[in-house]
């Protein structure tokens, strides 16, 4: 999370960490201003949660996001090798 938040700050991308206001479930980063309507969720299943429950929660996030007009970008370990690779994706999804 810290690596993600530092990267967002370095790239001047405003965000709210662990936001629950839009969907009623926590999002790792709800992007603001130029990137409004986008959210970032880190794909990392807690060991204390079953795969089925984890997948149900992810589906709930996607369904609620769709209703709220929010696009969730899911990041896995691979993305954290170079977060700069997601910048073009975020830029392509942002509203003009």
């Amino acid at each position: 999370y810290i690596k993600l938040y530092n990267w967002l700050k370095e790239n001047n991308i405003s965000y709210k960490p662990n936001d629950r206001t839009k969907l009623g479930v926590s999002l790792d980063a709800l992007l603001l201003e130029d990137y409004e309507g986008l959210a970032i969720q880190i794909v990392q299943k807690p060991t204390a949660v079953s795969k089925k429950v984890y997948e149900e929660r992810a589906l709930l996030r996607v369904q609620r996001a769709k209703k709220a007009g929010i696009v969730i970008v899911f990041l896995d370990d691979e993305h954290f090798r170079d977060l700069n690779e997601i910048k073009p994706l975020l830029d392509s999804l942002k509203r003009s």
Side-chain angles (χ1 to χ4, degrees), residues 14-89:
S14 300
Y15 68 97
K16 286 174 64 177
N18 302 313
D19 185 74
R20 298 181 70 89
T21 58
K22 295 278 185 176
L23 306 184
V25 292
S26 182
L27 294 167
D28 292 327
L30 179 66
L31 305 186
L32 307 170
E33 296 176 6
D34 292 340
Y35 295 90
E36 186 176 347
L38 297 177
I40 295 177
Q41 184 68 40
I42 299 171
V43 178
Q44 189 175 32
K45 186 184 91 51
T47 55
V49 174
S50 73
K51 182 179 178 181
K52 181 179 178 183
V53 169
Y54 179 76
E55 289 172 354
E56 288 171 354
R57 289 179 184 170
L59 181 60
L60 178 65
R61 278 186 182 88
V62 171
Q63 290 170 340
R64 288 184 179 179
K66 186 175 180 179
K67 287 180 185 177
I70 296 172
V71 174
I72 301 176
V73 176
F74 290 91
L75 302 181
D76 61 18
D77 290 338
E78 199 65 29
H79 295 106
F80 282 91
R81 292 191 180 137
D82 185 6
L83 282 171
N84 290 322
E85 291 182 8
I86 68 162
K87 182 80 165 75
L89 173 63

